Amino acid sequence: MTEQTEHATLLDRVDEHAVLAAADEAAFDRNTLVRLDPDHPGFRDREYRARRNRIAQIAVEYRPGADIPDAPYTPQEHEVWRTICEALAPAHEEHACAEYLACVERLGLPRDRIPQLREVTEKVEALCGFRLEPVAGLVEPRVFLESLANGVFLSTQYIRHHSTPLYTPEPDVVHEIVGHAVTLASGRLAELNRLVGRAVRRARTAEELERLSRVYWFTVEFGVLREGGRVKAYGTGLLSSAGELEAMHTAELRPLDLEAASRQQYDPTHFQPVLFCAASFDEMYEALKRYLLNRS
Ligand SMILES: [Fe+2]
């Protein structure tokens, strides 16, 4: 095992679970590329951990512009995807906004197997120009958000452990594809993601970066809006979890106020007690665009 100092800890953009990745390829040690916490559902599964390492290695070796190599998913992992899709289909019908449902139709992603990032990025790029690029784990907020300015979404490729198909302590390929990749097939949502990236690029202070991260959290990740008098989700963290979609109706809904959202603290490890709700998709699009363009 290599020294910890030979690795860079990738900071978690969603929760506090850290993933290790090689800072220097010469110091690369595939056995310790991914470090799971003892309370991670896959901690005691040696095969799962080995597979996580192989998938992380794809990301470490990836060079932008190249085809993304296929991840070695097992039949059991494809079953996890099927289980999640079965739980999400009725939840989406009930709770997802029309823009999202149109994107699902447009992309036509498989529900009976995990689509490879390579095939997802081909479809998304053809529609709105966004590309997915694999990352070994969670990356620093500035790196993750700035890449959006270039139409690049940094995506994990592993799937959660099969013992907990409806729970994951960290964002996995289900969240990345069902949440982010699908929304990036919407011209307006893809544009907003790019504008987030550009605003983050212009951010000169840690405080400004934090404010933009919170705005991203309460819109792109956990945004809701009204449609036909009902509350619907456009946030990727909601749309990739049937549990989150149910729980959003118990949250305190505040009118969309991006200045307030930029100051609102949140805990990523629990269902969100406070959500910002736009009066419509159009209001959300216009307000977020204006806010991001005005950040200097
Ligand atoms: Fe996310």
Side-chain angles (χ1 to χ4, degrees), residues 96-136:
C97 72
E99 186 87 3
Y100 179 82
L101 293 174
C103 289
V104 170
E105 284 288 309
R106 213 173 290 149
L107 281 175
L109 295 173
R111 294 182 176 188
D112 59 343
R113 65 177 175 84
I114 310 166
Q116 293 289 345
L117 290 189
R118 172 186 46 76
E119 51 187 317
V120 177
T121 199
E122 269 171 23
K123 289 186 172 199
V124 171
E125 191 169 12
L127 288 167
C128 292
F130 247 89
R131 302 198 309 281
L132 306 184
E133 290 184 1
V135 284

Side-chain angles (χ1 to χ4, degrees), residues 22-25 57-69 131-134:
D24 172 357
E25 281 187 56
Q57 193 180 358
I58 290 173
V60 169
E61 292 173 354
Y62 181 74
R63 293 293 169 263
D67 278 351
I68 304 170
R131 302 198 309 281
L132 306 184
E133 290 184 1

